[in-house]
Amino acid sequence: MSKNMSSIAVVGMQWGDEGKGKVIDLLSEEAQHIARAQGGNNAGHTIVVQGKEFRFHLIPSGILYPHTKCYIGGGTVIDPASLLEEIGSLTSQGIEHVKRLYISMYSHIVFPYHRLVDQLSEKLKGGAAVGTTGKGIGPCYTDKTSRCGIRLADLLNPEIFQQRLKAAVALKNRDLEKLYDHPPIAWEPIYEEYSTYAKKLLPYAAPVEELLYTASKKGEKILFEGAQGALLDVTFGTYPFVTSSCTLSGGVCSGLGVGPSRVGQTVGVAKLYTTRVGNGPLPTELSSDELAHFPDHSSSREVGTTTGRKRRIGWFDAFLLRHTTCLNGVDSLALTKLDILDDLDEIKICVGYKHCKMFPATLEELGKAVPVYESHKGWKVSTRDVSVYDDLPDLAKAYIRRIEELCEVPVSLVSVGPEREKTLWLDRFFDEQ
Ligand code: GDP
Ligand code: IMO
Ligand code: MG
């Protein structure tokens, strides 16, 4: 089988919310299959098409094109109520999804006790809380690796489901009472509620791994959709202020059951500044004075899609990006939100941290990191109506070229607005068939 250059992994390069949803939607015009590998409804992706906003949490952002097939992989964790709500909103917005949405039998199911433990453990951690989305993602992945989780395949079989749920709740009650001083919960109402979800999810359950393998063998165009961002990766992120899955390009393989030879190229999505939602270090975080000169959270669209929290904002960190380029083996960068910088007098790029040769592995070092900045003059003119890269102001092009140089990877796309058409293409993505 020859190497498949028709497939692209799209991953976040910072702390999430880089604009992956927009990039996936754009590339979906040419793709046949879009597959989400990991995470759950902690993710939130906003797409704007003809003035209409669509928000997705688990459903791949390629669903808006009627010709695509979308997959939710075995590496994801599924909150059925939330997923069914998303599916319902597709229906109410007239988006046909029958025979277009497939869910892996291997995906794990999020239960109410996962959300409960998420919230209780955050409370217990007090000042050291991660600042999770509270959706039960971490506790669900914990059960998966502790081998007491329940998968879609289990949920769909009433007897197996009952057996597994009873055992899981018994274990959970020990934790609830002993660790959290919380009264025990009953398995019966959960069984009732989730049995109705099982019936509704049944039509979507499919051998996602086989379907993707077959599509790949035929050379069909596949997009592998990553959620969150590299610095939230459970192994290489800013641990413990991370999510609980592998958010890197490598996570695409383990999350979808595809071999590495099936991933042709990797596109890293990065914002032209940095944001972070939740706790943990953000070395280039703006000072209050700098923040006062930055566009406000609502006009910069820096309010979380999932939790409505305001995102923390920092300057573009090229030192960090060079590091995440390495972790992801990125072939090109899709840079978003250039337009948000349009009115600034001065724009900074972090080119390194004082006394750090490598990106720090410990939180303590990262927390103390002193960024070394390079100052760039702002272009002070709107880029939102620019439709070809060459027409960008020279200062904006110089800013982008410098980022390309510092990160040692070519830029393939620049985004100047949330809408599809606000995109400057520098490169082709899919090979000709
Ligand atoms: P994701 O989680 O990586 O998909 O990103 P989100 O959707 O959570 O956050 C990105 C936000 O910025 C969304 O509201 C997008 O509509 C918006 N957005 C994406 N690209 C651009 C851009 O180039 N300019 C502006 N102004 N907004 C953008
Ligand atoms: P998308 O796909 C930004 C963050 C949370 C918290 C940490 C752990 O939209 O880029 P969790 O609930 O996952 O246990 O929370 O991870 N987080 C995200 N931040 N974008 C996301 O997804 C995120 N998903 C989780 O804020 O800091
Ligand atoms: Mg998001």
Side-chain angles (χ1 to χ4, degrees):
M1 195 162 48
S2 62
K3 184 156 170 69
N4 188 344
M5 293 308 287
S6 304
S7 65
I8 305 176
V10 177
V11 290
M13 297 291 282
Q14 294 150 324
W15 277 283
D17 303 325
E18 296 90 349
K20 298 174 294 292
K22 169 171 171 170
V23 173
I24 291 277
D25 171 68
L26 283 170
L27 301 188
S28 296
E29 185 175 7
E30 272 194 63
Q32 284 142 297
H33 309 272
I34 299 97
R36 166 80 179 268
Q38 39 66 233
N41 62 335
N42 49 347
H45 309 146
T46 303
I47 297 159
V48 184
V49 183
Q50 290 167 348
K52 213 168 148 193
E53 267 193 32
F54 299 88
R55 286 158 194 261
F56 297 116
H57 299 285
L58 246 179
I59 293 180
S61 300
I63 196 83
L64 295 176
Y65 283 99
H67 66 269
T68 59
K69 290 195 167 152
C70 293
Y71 307 83
I72 297 176
T76 62
V77 290
I78 296 179
D79 183 324
S82 163
L83 178 59
L84 288 164
E85 198 182 311
E86 257 190 279
I87 292 175
S89 82
L90 289 179
T91 312
S92 62
Q93 290 175 103
I95 302 161
E96 182 56 68
H97 57 271
V98 176
K99 295 234 160 70
R100 288 188 58 214
L101 181 64
Y102 305 93
I103 309 175
S104 169
M105 292 285 208
Y106 297 91
S107 55
H108 275 248
I109 303 296
V110 177
F111 286 93
Y113 50 79
H114 291 132
R115 287 192 299 271
L116 179 62
V117 169
D118 197 355
Q119 282 144 24
L120 292 172
S121 75
E122 282 284 274
K123 218 160 128 195
L124 199 69
K125 283 181 185 158
V130 176
T132 69
T133 57
K135 305 285 182 191
I137 307 300
C140 185
Y141 276 117
T142 303
D143 280 2
K144 172 179 176 174
T145 45
S146 301
R147 292 155 293 186
C148 57
I150 297 173
R151 302 163 310 157
L152 180 61
D154 309 320
L155 178 73
L156 296 180
N157 180 316
E159 272 157 42
I160 292 176
F161 176 42
Q162 189 179 114
Q163 200 185 322
R164 296 235 199 288
L165 182 68
K166 269 189 189 170
V169 169
L171 273 178
K172 213 49 66 183
N173 278 338
R174 289 217 306 247
D175 287 354
L176 284 175
E177 290 179 287
K178 295 208 169 101
L179 291 179
Y180 301 109
D181 203 16
H182 191 281
I185 53 168
W187 65 269
E188 293 88 344
I190 303 177
Y191 182 77
E192 296 260 306
E193 181 186 349
Y194 276 65
S195 297
T196 65
Y197 298 148
K199 288 195 187 85
K200 292 182 183 161
L201 289 177
L202 182 64
Y204 302 96
V208 165
E209 307 70 34
E210 268 298 324
L211 295 174
L212 287 174
Y213 183 64
T214 308
S216 171
K217 276 212 295 193
K218 286 194 213 153
E220 291 177 356
K221 292 173 181 168
I222 307 176
L223 280 177
F224 297 115
E225 176 174 343
Q228 287 86 41
L231 271 306
L232 289 172
D233 180 77
V234 68
T235 306
F236 295 102
T238 46
Y239 191 87
F241 294 100
V242 293
T243 190
S244 300
S245 62
C246 175
T247 62
L248 302 173
S249 56
V252 152
C253 296
S254 55
L256 282 160
V258 301
S261 64
R262 302 296 87 209
V263 184
Q265 52 170 310
T266 299
V267 175
V269 186
K271 220 174 251 187
L272 282 157
Y273 47 97
T274 312
T275 61
R276 173 161 208 178
V277 55
N279 304 330
L282 171 53
T284 62
E285 192 153 14
L286 301 189
S287 65
S288 49
D289 186 47
E290 288 171 328
L291 194 61
H293 290 92
F294 206 85
D296 64 67
H297 282 85
S298 121
S299 57
S300 61
R301 304 174 76 88
E302 294 305 355
V303 180
T305 312
T306 299
T307 57
R309 291 180 289 181
K310 281 186 182 170
R311 297 171 183 153
R312 295 155 64 197
I313 297 175
W315 295 114
F316 188 87
D317 191 338
F319 190 54
L320 176 158
L321 224 85
R322 169 66 187 71
H323 175 62
T324 59
T325 297
C326 147
L327 295 174
N328 280 306
V330 161
D331 295 296
S332 78
L333 288 174
L335 297 176
T336 63
K337 308 197 84 158
L338 182 73
D339 55 304
I340 300 302
L341 306 177
D342 284 349
D343 295 329
L344 299 182
D345 294 325
E346 184 197 18
I347 301 165
K348 291 186 193 168
I349 301 179
C350 168
V351 295
Y353 302 155
K354 259 186 204 163
H355 313 303
C356 289
K357 278 207 177 89
M358 307 299 288
F359 192 80
T362 69
L363 210 60
E364 289 69 21
E365 277 178 282
L366 192 63
K368 280 192 263 168
V370 179
V372 178
Y373 288 112
E374 195 176 84
S375 174
H376 286 247
K377 203 164 176 274
W379 42 93
K380 307 275 287 178
V381 46
S382 173
T383 55
R384 292 208 62 178
D385 293 321
V386 174
S387 53
V388 269
Y389 179 81
D390 284 344
D391 293 345
L392 280 177
D394 287 343
L395 288 170
K397 277 189 279 192
Y399 177 66
I400 291 164
R401 289 302 173 200
R402 182 65 180 137
I403 286 174
E404 198 168 41
E405 193 176 271
L406 288 165
C407 301
E408 300 172 24
V409 64
V411 172
S412 47
L413 176 160
V414 177
S415 170
V416 291
E419 303 85 0
R420 274 180 185 162
E421 56 282 8
K422 305 276 179 200
T423 307
L424 316 176
W425 300 87
L426 281 87
D427 208 352
R428 296 180 45 82
F429 284 87
F430 286 111
D431 284 352
E432 285 299 336
Q433 290 287 292

